[in-house]
Amino acid sequence: MPRTVRICDGPQELAACAAEHIAAAARDAVDARGRFTVALSGGDTPVGTYARLAAGNGVSVPWEEVHVFWGDERCIPLERADNHFTMATELLLSRVPIPSHNIHRARGEAADPAAAATEYEAELLRFFDPPAGGFPELDLVLLGMGEDGHVASLFPGSDGYRERNRLVVDHYVIKRGERVRRLTLTMPVLTAAREVMVLVSGDLKADMLAAVLRGEADVPARELNAGVRDITWFADREAAVALDRDEAAVRR
Ligand code: 6PG
């Protein structure tokens, strides 16, 4: 169960490292299994990574064989720049030769988010065809982490956080004091992935990152870190400031 922490100097280095890692994971998966399945994230942290992947400079991805999903989606109109699908499309997907039928999204803009969650779950089941009662095995799930230790839209105390049977839930979460509705993959889907990478930037997340890696915080990010097969934390220097020297850049 590899647990790796990679410290990058600043946000730009973090974006470069993360883009290279994703590209290498894509090439390996396509070599091994003929396709690469990845769940993207929203939020601010992956913006630079998407831009790097789109620019391509030295980062080569076999886009024809890439299938894109999302770890979560905001229940907001598509016209909003912080809609996860819209953001990834503008920064990345519209700039690379990925076939449109390889894009599998959660319809956060739907009038009925519960129906959109059921529809996204059905798409995951159709595509991955897991055994009865099993969960899809994404090659890579890309995530950010909130200051409160949330990942995707699994927040401490949110209804869907403890869901163990469904693949996707829709629920309300409190983000930075605001009550907002989200669609999200559930924890069993996140932990069933072959690999997870979490991008963490900025000193506001430093204490939570240290607590999660030490197993000291009862938050979704700790459960993810403990439960997934292979996880790499990409942190910039500010986010890593509370880590001891041997907690950083170590494959454990
Ligand atoms: C979102 C994601 C969320 C995000 C973290 C970190 O909708 O924003 O679901 O899990 O990855 O909140 O966000 P930042 O990258 O913006 O700090």
Side-chain angles (χ1 to χ4, degrees):
M1 300 235 302
R3 304 264 167 282
T4 307
V5 182
R6 287 184 59 178
I7 312 298
C8 315
D9 268 344
Q12 286 184 8
E13 289 76 13
L14 186 143
C17 287
E20 278 165 27
H21 193 93
I22 293 167
R27 294 192 300 267
D28 288 350
V30 170
D31 284 350
R33 293 178 294 284
R35 72 182 190 196
F36 175 58
T37 56
V38 58
L40 299 179
S41 154
D44 297 331
T45 318
V47 167
T49 303
Y50 295 163
R52 289 272 179 165
L53 285 169
N57 299 337
V59 209
S60 123
V61 175
W63 287 109
E64 299 276 337
E65 277 74 50
V66 175
H67 284 262
V68 172
F69 297 80
W70 274 264
D72 67 331
E73 183 56 272
R74 302 178 184 201
C75 296
I76 55 175
L78 277 173
E79 294 69 35
R80 289 242 326 239
D82 54 345
N83 177 289
H84 293 182
F85 168 75
T86 300
M87 171 217 172
T89 300
E90 284 179 3
L91 288 169
L92 175 60
L93 301 175
S94 63
R95 298 165 191 268
V96 295
I98 184 169
S100 58
H101 58 265
N102 289 11
I103 296 175
H104 313 263
R105 74 184 187 89
R107 290 191 316 111
E109 79 283 10
D112 181 351
T118 303
E119 191 184 300
Y120 188 41
E121 180 166 82
E123 172 66 0
L124 287 158
L125 290 171
R126 184 198 65 74
F127 185 87
F128 288 95
D129 196 19
F135 292 94
E137 198 175 82
L138 282 142
D139 289 314
L140 177 67
V141 174
L142 174 68
L143 296 168
M145 181 186 76
E147 291 147 43
D148 60 357
H150 76 257
V151 287
S153 282
L154 299 175
F155 283 64
S158 61
D159 289 348
Y161 168 29
R162 306 285 178 190
E163 174 62 46
R164 291 294 176 261
N165 298 311
R166 294 202 58 186
L167 275 55
V168 181
V169 292
D170 90 283
H171 61 185
Y172 284 94
V173 305
I174 309 288
K175 185 164 183 185
R176 296 183 184 127
E178 200 190 338
R179 187 170 179 267
V180 291
R181 197 161 182 178
R182 298 287 183 87
L183 304 177
T184 184
L185 298 181
T186 56
M187 188 60 81
V189 180
L190 301 184
T191 54
R194 287 176 183 272
E195 184 185 0
V196 169
M197 36 189 303
V198 192
L199 310 187
V200 192
S201 177
D203 59 357
L204 293 178
K205 296 180 182 175
D207 289 342
M208 182 55 78
L209 178 61
V212 163
L213 295 176
R214 291 170 192 156
E216 289 168 359
D218 183 18
V219 295
R222 185 205 53 79
E223 188 179 337
L224 175 79
N225 189 53
V228 77
R229 271 179 266 181
D230 182 344
I231 186 164
T232 305
W233 294 83
F234 288 81
D236 63 16
R237 293 239 168 253
E238 290 191 347
V241 78
L243 301 182
D244 298 338
R245 217 178 49 184
D246 48 344
E247 286 173 321
V250 173
R251 179 170 274 266
R252 292 174 289 159

